Amino acid sequence: MPNYVVGHKIPDSDSICSAIALSYLKTELGEHTVPARLGELSPETLFILDKFGFEQPELKLSYAGESLYIVDHSERTQGPDDIDEATILGIIDHHKLGDITTSTPLECWIRPVGCTNTIIKMMYDFHDIAIPKDIAGAMMCAILSDTVIFKSPTCTTADIKCVEALAEIAGIDDPQALGMEMFKVKSAVEDTPIRDLVLRDFKDFDMNGHLVGIGQLEVIDLAIFDNIKAELEADIAALKAEGNRHSVLLLLTDIMKEGSEVLVVSDDAELTNKAYGKASTNGRVWLDGVLSRKKQVVPPLQESFS
Ligand code: MG
Ligand code: MG
Ligand code: MG
């Protein structure tokens, strides 16, 4: 039976590329390990897999009785539903420490950097294992995605250095141009069902006993939402009711203007005022300079619930 590597539900490019990269490293180190995923892939991730010639990792939702590495999260709400019945061999992550615990010792690589793949690059270096060209390309794209081409406040010099090193291995002359190409793919919303857009990059958090869902759409121009904003608002209201959530936020992030318009439905009308010092008007508020859910959106919100 192989070991698995799996990222969070509603997988993003970091979750998928880190599953692929870590599986290769572990297998090279003598542990047969395969990448897996907890859901369907986004157009951006499909673009990366296609560009570097990878198949989609196996769709695998149940891990009872198996051994796995968790990447790109450490939250019970975001991991496999039956994680309690699995053996967690390790966690490699760059988010706040979540609530996954283990009954056996585990390997932990947790660093406050912009992307899980940056940490996995450190692991390759630590073990002195060469990164294949195609894996280097996928890792590089994941870092460009998670750091919003270095613009996110989560981006560190380690992330930038990793992109430079991985670009060299992958033979990519202009990583930032490839990053823009990727964000153009990410910005395409036409012909996509509204619910798919809302859930494209959506995470649930347990905030002091309240379930809060936060989605994010990162695009190169917010004008693409002009015609569908009302539908997005209706859908997050439906999602709040269906999941019995306290609040649902949808961040419409403009990576060129470097800020986010937040659409919010909440049991607490004062939610954004309490968390960010800015009241919402008709369920909308612009937060200037806000690009990162994990660093700028979740912490103040969590604080407001405590
Ligand atoms: Mg992620
Ligand atoms: Mg990540
Ligand atoms: Mg992200």
Side-chain angles (χ1 to χ4, degrees):
M1 221 162 47
N3 297 331
Y4 289 92
V5 184
V6 74
H8 52 77
K9 285 176 179 153
I10 310 182
D12 59 3
S13 297
D14 189 22
S15 275
I16 296 301
C17 297
S18 53
I20 292 170
L22 185 64
S23 293
Y24 178 86
L25 174 64
K26 288 293 173 184
T27 302
E28 282 293 290
L29 293 170
E31 254 178 69
H32 180 37
T33 305
V34 299
R37 61 186 166 95
L38 291 179
E40 296 310 316
L41 301 188
S42 72
E44 180 198 70
T45 308
L46 291 170
F47 168 86
I48 297 170
L49 297 189
D50 182 56
K51 171 125 193 127
F52 296 102
F54 290 101
E55 299 288 326
Q56 295 192 28
E58 176 188 339
L59 178 66
K60 181 173 166 62
L61 305 181
S62 174
Y63 295 84
E66 308 201 74
S67 297
L68 77 164
Y69 292 91
I70 295 288
V71 289
D72 200 32
H73 75 289
S74 63
E75 306 266 347
R76 299 172 60 85
T77 54
Q78 295 171 17
D81 291 333
D82 60 359
I83 196 164
D84 285 339
E85 295 158 65
T87 302
I88 299 174
L89 300 169
I91 298 176
I92 297 89
D93 188 32
H94 67 125
H95 295 80
K96 78 180 176 72
L97 190 58
D99 52 4
I100 291 177
T101 57
T102 67
S103 49
T104 48
L106 78 166
E107 174 178 13
C108 263
W109 291 69
I110 296 174
R111 302 285 187 276
V113 293
C115 183
T116 304
N117 277 278
T118 299
I119 308 170
I120 294 175
K121 167 73 166 62
M122 295 173 190
M123 295 173 76
Y124 271 89
D125 293 346
F126 177 81
H127 290 290
D128 198 21
I129 300 286
I131 306 176
K133 206 173 167 176
D134 52 353
I135 291 183
M139 292 172 75
M140 185 198 79
C141 282
I143 300 171
L144 290 167
S145 171
D146 260 18
T147 63
V148 192
I149 320 178
F150 308 146
K151 291 182 188 196
S152 171
T154 59
C155 184
T156 66
T157 44
D159 300 298
I160 297 168
K161 281 186 178 160
C162 272
V163 165
E164 287 166 1
L166 294 166
E168 175 132 3
I169 297 167
I172 305 235
D173 295 333
D174 190 347
Q176 304 207 30
L178 178 55
M180 271 312 283
E181 204 184 321
M182 211 171 60
F183 272 93
K184 276 185 194 137
V185 172
K186 196 173 201 167
S187 298
V189 300
E190 61 272 10
D191 303 327
T192 307
I194 291 293
R195 179 55 62 93
D196 289 7
L197 283 178
V198 169
L199 293 183
R200 184 171 277 175
D201 178 6
F202 187 89
K203 290 179 180 175
D204 274 318
F205 297 86
D206 180 340
M207 298 206 174
N208 205 18
H210 303 283
L211 186 63
V212 176
I214 309 176
Q216 183 172 29
L217 292 166
E218 295 165 317
V219 298
I220 48 181
D221 183 2
L222 285 195
I224 62 160
F225 296 121
D226 285 352
N227 294 328
I228 58 168
K229 212 175 274 181
E231 287 174 78
L232 291 170
E233 285 170 323
D235 200 60
I236 62 171
L239 201 62
K240 176 182 178 301
E242 286 161 28
N244 205 10
R245 293 176 175 88
H246 176 281
S247 306
V248 175
L249 284 70
L250 183 62
L251 315 177
L252 306 178
T253 299
D254 188 321
I255 71 161
M256 304 312 286
K257 292 201 179 79
E258 302 193 19
S260 297
E261 179 170 42
V262 183
L263 309 183
V264 57
V265 285
S266 177
D267 290 341
D268 182 356
E270 288 296 308
L271 189 78
T272 65
N273 202 14
K274 284 178 193 163
Y276 312 114
K278 264 191 106 173
S280 56
T281 308
N282 297 326
R284 300 178 184 182
V285 60
W286 170 260
L287 299 180
D288 207 39
V290 169
L291 292 173
S292 168
R293 176 172 47 199
K294 76 169 70 61
K295 196 159 182 169
Q296 296 168 298
V297 176
V298 170
L301 197 60
Q302 186 105 36
E303 184 77 9
S304 77
F305 275 93
S306 62

